[in-house]
Amino acid sequence: MRADARRNRDRLLAATGEAFAEHGTDAALEDIARRAGVAIGTLYSHFPTRHALLEALLREQVEALGDKASQLLDHPSPLEALIEWAHAAIAHTATYRGLAASMMTGLGYENSELHAACQALIQAGERVLARAQQAGVVRPDVAASDLFALINAVAWAGEQVPSEQGARLLGYVIDGLRPMS
């Protein structure tokens, strides 16, 4: 990539982060281009869809969550490892208003640029989940895709309710993942 194209791409990603922080993932793409000081055509030449723009913006965070899952495989408590990873995944998904809904939509469309990012998160969670299931602290019928959906649901709900209530919701979800007595 040429140096000027790289600068434009970097400015677009920075402007996207600002716009999404202010207005959520539905921020106007024209506003993002304007903030970056480029034409809308330049935005589309780098990122042909909103999901492509979002995926590029979140790529490092998704990789960091995969790394965190790998590190948590050494945690002495498989359940605490799962809880810690779920908190990190929810924090990631709550980065921008509307991100949880965008990720669920991206997961549903294999051609979406977000699909690979969602799959990476599912695979990262699957490793931590499988360890908790092997230890007998999580129900064996919980699939990694269920965990992904629950994390997105808690993140979405967290956008709708006061933060203290949102934090409690994860506790309820974790309790529901435990084996039935």
Side-chain angles (χ1 to χ4, degrees):
M1 185 178 290
R2 294 185 340 237
D4 61 332
R6 169 56 75 189
R7 280 191 302 275
N8 285 343
R9 186 179 192 284
D10 292 345
R11 287 197 324 250
L12 282 164
L13 289 173
T16 299
E18 293 170 7
F20 284 2
E22 290 175 27
H23 305 289
T25 58
D26 288 333
L29 296 180
E30 294 81 6
D31 178 48
I32 292 169
R34 190 172 29 261
R35 286 175 188 240
V38 301
I40 190 70
T42 301
L43 182 146
Y44 282 118
S45 71
H46 286 279
F47 307 104
T49 67
R50 181 179 299 274
H51 280 176
L53 181 58
L54 189 53
E55 187 279 331
L57 183 65
L58 300 175
R59 186 173 299 138
E60 288 180 16
Q61 290 177 340
V62 169
E63 289 173 7
L65 280 169
D67 293 345
K68 182 163 190 67
S70 295
Q71 294 165 2
L72 287 169
L73 294 176
D74 293 331
H75 194 287
S77 168
L79 182 60
E80 289 302 316
L82 179 64
I83 292 169
E84 188 174 329
W85 189 84
H87 275 288
I90 288 169
H92 156 73
T93 307
T95 303
Y96 306 113
R97 189 178 71 254
L99 179 56
S102 293
M103 293 191 75
M104 290 306 295
T105 300
L107 179 63
Y109 295 99
E110 288 186 22
N111 293 334
S112 166
E113 292 83 353
L114 274 178
H115 185 78
C118 294
Q119 288 297 332
L121 286 178
I122 289 172
Q123 291 168 359
E126 185 172 37
R127 297 189 312 258
V128 181
L129 174 65
R131 183 168 175 253
Q133 288 171 320
Q134 290 167 355
V137 295
V138 171
R139 298 167 43 159
D141 62 332
V142 177
S145 59
D146 298 332
L147 181 62
F148 179 80
L150 288 169
I151 284 168
N152 278 284
V154 170
W156 177 85
E159 295 175 4
Q160 316 304 314
V161 299
S163 60
E164 358 17 278
Q165 185 179 10
R168 285 194 312 268
L169 294 175
L170 179 59
Y172 303 146
V173 167
I174 296 297
D175 287 345
L177 296 178
R178 295 175 195 248
M180 295 183 202
S181 317

